Amino acid sequence: MLQAMCQNFGSLHLSGPLKDMNFSVPEGSGVRLIYQFTAEPPAVSFRATGEKDGILDIVAETGVLYLNGSLDWETKAKYRLQVESLDEKGQRVKGPYTVIILVEDINDNPPEFDQLMYTGVVRQNSRPGKPFMYVHATDRDDPSTPHAQLTYSILHHFPNPYSTMLFQINNVTGAISPSMTGSHYLDPQKQDTFTLVVTVKDMAGMTTNAFTGSADVVITVKESLWKAPPTIHIQENSTQDHPVNVSQVHSNEPDVIYELFEKEKLPRLPFSVDQNGVIYVTEPLDREEKDAYSFFAIAKDKEGELVDKPLQISVVVEDINDNPPVCQKALTVLEVQENEDAGSTIGTLSATDMDEKDTLNSRLQFKIESQVPAVPASDLFFIQQDTGMLQLISHSLNKRIASNYSLKVLVTDAVFQTICDVQIHVIDINDQIPIFEKSDYQNVTVAEDLPVGTVILEIQATDADEPLTGSSYIIYEIKEGDPNKVFIIETDPETNRGSIRINKALDFETAQVYNLVIHATNPEPLVPGVQYNSSSIAVLKVFLTNVDEPPVFNSEAYIGEALENIPVNTLVMTVEAYDPEGDTVRYSLEGDVKKWLRIDSSTGKIYTASLLDREQEQAYEVQIVASESNNVAQKSKATFIINLKDVNDNPPRLAMNSALFFCHPLSGGERTLIQATDDDEQKFYSTFTFSLKDDMNTRNNWEISKINSTHAYLSPKHTNLEEKVYNVPVIINDNGRPPLEAEINLEVNICKCSSEKSCFIEVQREHSWPSTGQAIGILLGVLLIIGSIIGGVFFHMKYKQKDKKKSDREDVKDQAELHSLAK
């Protein structure tokens, strides 16, 4: 067999001179030829030594290096041989040369887990993606090749009550962690054990020919350690050494960092936590300062990421009796009438205790310690022990015997006591009625246009009861003659004088006279047997005088609407005003700057006086003037606003001012953007149609394409356009009701460009001769310049002639002076 292989070797071109060489041979390939070394005279044979291991050798006569068995990469990955050439006497001619045989690995080993079954424990509410266990598999193939590149996956999940798996596996590391679903729903009360079938594939799982291994993973779910502790109760003003351990939290993960943060912003948080999760109170607490705390405990990993959801920690500060009773007022002042019956309530003494409400620590009890003066008896008053309510013991108060009493009241809780002062004033009984100084205040005449608040009369009644008490204070009321409360009476508390004021606007046309009946009473009830009589009643007549008032509109403002294209003389509004004195009202308009409206001076009907235009003014406002026919100075004004509704009366136009141009020479594909707009109201959105005028020249040179409802592209149809300005007629239709169309001549410049944004030279237009106006302007300019030059020359000559004459006169004068000197 080897002989036959050697005979065919020459056709494989696997031969060459003896030298150092490396060969790669796949494992398990069986008997095969590797290479043939060619002999160079005087060499006639070859010899191989080294790691032949009974598998590798060389045919001495032919120099064929061959393999007579299968290589196994897992057994040996490299063989090193020494090959030399020999002459006929067996002496070395060349060499020895190193020949290395590298065994190529093939995927001939399936991956294997290092355990047939794995067990793991996961805590309820563990962080999704945080591994709680690992599985591991190995593959005996070459790790530098895909043959040993392993990928993990979960094949089965028993049981699986949800549509998504409760667990996940990292396909590279084999790390098993809860999924997002598992983090939320794992609960040992519902299911405490799960079995996963985990598979591992080589070839990175990328081919169907990959080998697969599997193992079972049994997972036990345990209750979460991370849960809020019960409410913490701490007694206030503790004398223990601080900090004091009050609670502890535990994370489901090891090596976490615990922190506290406040739910509410406080000057300081008197709590801390150490790295074992132990929570401490750092200082004594005061329940009266703050009776409860709420904050959060969190756990972070080394990267600062939250491991679990924050836990809310609640602390209740327990009360101790450390606050004495406090009198609500330094002096409690009460009043009692001298004729009060026994058992009558005088008032209540109020005291507080800052200790916890509704506990024995804040329970207060009251007791009268002393009464001054002690007349006519030492025990005139009684205080209810638990409420502080003061009562009369007997019907024995007499203002003439004692007008004031001072009480010392002892207020106690279970530990502390406080003295509160109470002063009781004995007040006179209301046994006198108010008496008017005059029973009839005659007549008062006032003008109807007096402002509200004006005092029209002052009245006076007196009361013989104790001054500055409810028994002597007088309340004045109009009982008859003023059902609409046009007038009001205010009392001066010092003098009991009453001021009658205007409470509502007076109107002569509504009422010309008021017959007022006024009663004077006290806020304090009269004692039994005493009643108000005619001495507490007075009468007054108020006469109104008529004042000429301006007309009054039915409304302060009138608002109407109309289409902007309504015909002239269309009625748009009717207004109405009346004169309180019954005079005839005349109407006119002010502020009609556009002269769009007119008003019938007699009827108040408003008509259009000219065509309206919503695009000029959408809401047109004028003032309506109503004046008396007999006194035009008496007038009033109201506002009229007419809202104009749009009609399609404006053709479309271009919404751009910049010049359009293309750079010459054209290269093809150029286009420029054009935009249309319309002055009419666009209730929803504009819709314009763009087209070119139907003439041959335009159609041959230009084309237009719509982009959207307001924009289109204009582009040359070919590249042969000359360098000049073109007029391109574009037709734009607004598609309104009725539709309006506009033909717009676009000037498009084909020009040489200095950049993509401007023409280098403004090219000559198609008609380069100046217009008549331009020619006249140029001619006038030239004549003006010529005139200026001629005038300048003339002025210069005249000035020079003046200088010459002056010089001649000076010469004559000089000669005369010389002549006189000579004499």
Side-chain angles (χ1 to χ4, degrees):
M1 180 179 177
L2 182 61
Q3 188 72 20
M5 291 176 63
C6 291
Q7 289 175 355
N8 296 327
F9 193 78
S11 62
L12 299 175
H13 305 292
L14 299 174
S15 61
L18 184 60
K19 58 182 178 179
D20 290 339
M21 296 192 74
N22 293 336
F23 299 98
S24 293
V25 179
E27 67 172 326
S29 57
V31 177
R32 61 176 290 174
L33 302 179
I34 300 173
Y35 195 78
Q36 183 179 18
F37 295 104
T38 56
E40 299 177 6
V44 294
S45 63
F46 297 89
R47 177 172 62 202
T49 59
E51 301 174 345
K52 296 192 287 184
D53 292 358
I55 298 176
L56 290 165
D57 211 342
I58 194 169
V59 179
E61 296 80 5
T62 61
V64 173
L65 181 66
Y66 66 92
L67 184 66
N68 65 7
S70 291
L71 300 177
D72 184 10
W73 180 91
E74 287 74 27
T75 302
K76 191 168 185 177
K78 182 170 73 171
Y79 295 83
R80 183 184 296 272
L81 303 179
Q82 303 296 322
V83 179
E84 53 192 354
S85 63
L86 307 173
D87 59 15
E88 290 181 348
K89 295 180 180 182
Q91 297 299 315
R92 179 188 302 150
V93 176
K94 292 179 68 176
Y97 289 95
T98 299
V99 176
I100 296 176
I101 308 299
L102 300 173
V103 183
E104 291 182 2
D105 182 51
I106 64 172
N107 191 22
D108 58 349
N109 290 283
E112 296 179 351
F113 281 101
D114 55 11
Q115 294 178 220
L116 293 177
M117 177 181 290
Y118 296 85
T119 59
V121 174
V122 63
R123 292 283 178 181
Q124 179 185 13
N125 300 129
S126 290
R127 187 166 37 148
K130 180 69 176 178
F132 61 87
M133 67 176 297
Y134 289 82
V135 296
H136 183 260
T138 56
D139 191 306
R140 293 177 58 233
D141 289 320
D142 185 357
S144 65
T145 68
H147 305 152
Q149 290 184 13
L150 307 182
T151 181
Y152 300 93
S153 62
I154 297 175
L155 181 63
H156 296 300
H157 181 306
F158 305 108
N160 188 11
Y162 301 100
S163 58
T164 56
M165 289 191 178
L166 299 176
F167 301 95
Q168 57 192 15
I169 190 169
N170 186 298
N171 64 348
V172 176
T173 64
I176 298 176
S177 61
S179 66
M180 187 67 73
T181 304
S183 177
H184 283 90
Y185 294 110
L186 284 173
D187 185 352
Q189 302 298 322
K190 296 179 180 178
Q191 180 70 37
D192 62 354
T193 305
F194 293 88
T195 299
L196 308 182
V197 179
V198 178
T199 64
V200 60
K201 288 185 179 182
D202 60 18
M203 299 299 290
M206 301 299 292
T207 69
T208 56
N209 296 328
F211 290 109
T212 303
S214 64
D216 286 355
V217 179
V218 178
I219 299 172
T220 301
V221 181
K222 291 191 175 181
E223 188 177 2
S224 176
L225 296 173
W226 185 249
K227 51 187 177 182
T231 299
I232 302 168
H233 293 267
I234 302 175
Q235 194 173 77
E236 68 172 328
N237 299 324
S238 171
T239 57
Q240 291 180 272
D241 292 334
H242 286 75
V244 177
N245 179 342
V246 293
S247 190
Q248 187 173 12
V249 293
H250 300 274
S251 175
N252 291 321
E253 298 182 19
D255 303 323
V256 298
I257 300 168
Y258 295 98
E259 294 179 5
L260 302 179
F261 73 90
E262 305 169 44
K263 183 178 181 182
E264 52 187 331
K265 292 298 179 183
L266 300 173
R268 68 184 186 283
L269 182 67
F271 298 92
S272 65
V273 63
D274 66 16
Q275 292 316 299
N276 295 317
V278 177
I279 299 174
Y280 299 90
V281 59
T282 58
E283 60 187 56
L285 304 180
D286 185 356
R287 192 204 67 84
E288 286 71 43
E289 181 181 321
K290 188 169 178 61
D291 61 359
Y293 294 85
S294 181
F295 53 91
F296 290 94
I298 58 174
K300 296 181 178 179
D301 58 20
K302 294 178 180 178
E303 286 73 37
E305 296 293 327
L306 284 178
V307 170
D308 295 290
K309 296 177 181 178
L311 293 181
Q312 185 168 350
I313 311 297
S314 297
V315 177
V316 173
V317 183
E318 294 182 340
D319 185 50
I320 63 172
N321 195 348
D322 58 346
N323 289 280
V326 176
C327 307
Q328 197 166 30
K329 295 180 181 179
L331 176 65
T332 300
V333 179
L334 302 175
E335 290 182 347
V336 58
Q337 286 188 346
E338 60 183 343
N339 66 334
E340 290 286 347
D341 294 328
S344 296
T345 299
I346 302 171
T348 301
L349 172 63
S350 295
T352 57
D353 191 308
M354 291 185 65
D355 289 319
E356 187 174 358
K357 186 180 179 181
D358 298 328
T359 66
L360 291 175
N361 294 336
S362 61
R363 180 192 179 188
L364 301 182
Q365 293 185 315
F366 301 85
K367 180 183 178 184
I368 297 175
E369 289 286 292
S370 65
Q371 169 197 311
V372 176
V375 293
S378 60
D379 56 350
L380 296 176
F381 306 99
F382 169 77
I383 191 167
Q384 292 187 10
Q385 177 178 288
D386 291 299
T387 64
M389 181 184 292
L390 280 160
Q391 295 173 290
L392 278 173
I393 288 182
S394 63
H395 182 80
S396 55
L397 293 180
N398 190 320
K399 183 177 175 63
R400 290 182 294 276
I401 297 175
S403 61
N404 289 289
Y405 290 91
S406 295
L407 306 181
K408 297 287 186 183
V409 179
L410 180 67
V411 185
T412 61
D413 61 18
V415 175
F416 301 96
Q417 63 182 28
T418 299
I419 293 292
C420 293
D421 291 319
V422 179
Q423 190 172 80
I424 299 175
H425 295 304
V426 181
I427 61 175
D428 185 31
I429 58 174
N430 191 11
D431 56 357
Q432 301 292 322
I433 63 171
I435 299 173
F436 273 105
E437 63 178 9
K438 290 194 296 186
S439 61
D440 189 347
Y441 281 89
Q442 304 298 320
N443 305 330
V444 174
T445 301
V446 297
E448 66 170 330
D449 61 349
L450 283 180
V452 171
T454 301
V455 176
I456 65 170
L457 183 68
E458 289 187 342
I459 57 177
Q460 182 71 64
T462 57
D463 192 301
D465 287 313
E466 184 179 356
L468 303 178
T469 65
S471 299
S472 63
Y473 181 79
I474 299 175
I475 299 173
Y476 298 97
E477 290 182 282
I478 300 173
K479 290 293 187 178
E480 298 176 26
D482 185 18
N484 298 320
K485 301 196 181 301
V486 174
F487 302 98
I488 190 171
I489 306 177
E490 296 175 353
T491 303
D492 184 332
E494 298 290 332
T495 64
N496 270 340
R497 194 166 188 80
S499 298
I500 304 176
R501 296 179 183 272
I502 300 173
N503 187 46
K504 296 179 181 179
L506 303 176
D507 185 7
F508 177 83
E509 286 71 30
T510 303
Q512 292 82 40
V513 62
Y514 292 88
N515 294 304
L516 305 182
V517 177
I518 303 170
H519 286 215
T521 58
N522 302 126
E524 193 70 33
L526 294 172
V527 297
V530 178
Q531 293 182 348
Y532 296 107
N533 55 40
S534 60
S535 299
S536 301
I537 300 174
V539 294
L540 169 68
K541 280 189 177 183
V542 180
F543 290 96
L544 301 188
T545 60
N546 191 24
V547 176
D548 189 11
E549 299 171 281
V552 179
F553 279 99
N554 289 341
S555 175
E556 293 182 359
Y558 297 86
I559 298 175
E561 66 176 18
L563 291 172
E564 63 174 325
N565 65 341
I566 59 174
V568 175
N569 291 326
T570 300
L571 177 66
V572 292
M573 179 61 66
T574 300
V575 300
E576 186 178 355
Y578 68 93
D579 184 70
E581 288 74 40
D583 198 358
T584 303
V585 176
R586 308 290 291 177
Y587 301 94
S588 61
L589 296 179
E590 286 184 0
D592 184 16
V593 294
K594 297 188 180 297
K595 307 301 180 185
W596 281 357
L597 303 171
R598 68 177 179 83
I599 189 168
D600 188 307
S601 61
S602 300
T603 64
K605 294 182 182 294
I606 301 175
Y607 300 88
T608 57
S610 59
L611 292 178
L612 309 177
D613 187 358
R614 189 202 67 86
E615 285 68 42
Q616 290 188 43
E617 199 87 44
Q618 186 172 347
Y620 189 56
E621 180 176 331
V622 297
Q623 296 294 314
I624 311 164
V625 180
S627 57
E628 294 180 2
S629 297
N630 297 324
N631 185 4
V632 293
Q634 288 287 40
K635 60 184 178 180
S636 57
K637 296 181 181 181
T639 299
F640 173 49
I641 300 173
I642 180 168
N643 294 310
L644 300 183
K645 298 170 69 177
D646 188 50
V647 296
N648 194 26
D649 58 350
N650 288 279
R653 58 180 176 83
L654 287 180
M656 41 192 267
N657 296 319
S658 56
L660 304 180
F661 69 92
F662 295 104
C663 293
H664 187 275
L666 298 173
S667 58
E670 293 94 341
R671 60 185 184 179
T672 187
L673 185 69
I674 60 175
Q675 180 184 358
T677 187
D678 193 315
D679 293 327
D680 289 316
E681 181 181 10
Q682 305 300 322
K683 292 186 178 177
F684 301 101
Y685 55 86
S686 306
T687 303
F688 298 106
T689 303
F690 300 86
S691 61
L692 294 173
K693 187 176 180 181
D694 191 13
D695 67 72
M696 184 177 297
N697 188 41
T698 303
R699 294 289 184 183
N700 289 340
N701 291 334
W702 305 94
E703 62 183 355
I704 196 165
S705 56
K706 185 174 180 179
I707 301 173
N708 54 33
S709 59
T710 57
H711 292 75
Y713 281 127
L714 177 70
S715 52
K717 228 173 185 180
H718 54 80
T719 61
N720 299 327
L721 294 176
E722 299 176 15
E723 186 179 348
K724 66 176 183 179
V725 176
Y726 291 84
N727 285 318
V728 182
V730 176
I731 298 172
I732 307 175
N733 190 301
D734 66 4
N735 295 295
R737 294 183 181 177
L740 294 180
E741 188 174 271
E743 180 178 328
I744 299 165
N745 281 322
L746 281 178
E747 284 195 354
V748 182
N749 200 346
I750 306 292
C751 59
K752 290 181 181 177
C753 294
S754 59
S755 69
E756 292 184 358
K757 295 185 178 179
S758 63
C759 285
F760 182 67
I761 299 174
E762 182 69 25
V763 301
Q764 293 294 326
R765 298 182 179 272
E766 291 178 288
H767 304 290
S768 58
W769 292 105
S771 65
T772 303
Q774 291 173 331
I776 293 171
I778 293 169
L779 180 59
L780 289 174
V782 171
L783 291 174
L784 183 60
I785 293 170
I786 293 171
S788 299
I789 294 171
I790 293 170
V793 171
F794 178 80
F795 178 82
H796 179 70
M797 290 174 66
K798 192 169 183 180
Y799 181 81
K800 197 168 183 184
Q801 191 176 11
K802 276 186 178 180
D803 284 349
K804 188 174 183 303
K805 288 181 180 178
K806 182 179 180 183
S807 179
D808 292 342
R809 286 197 297 271
E810 287 175 351
D811 289 342
V812 171
K813 184 178 180 182
D814 290 340
Q815 288 176 5
E817 288 176 353
L818 287 172
H819 182 69
S820 64
L821 288 171
K823 286 182 177 180

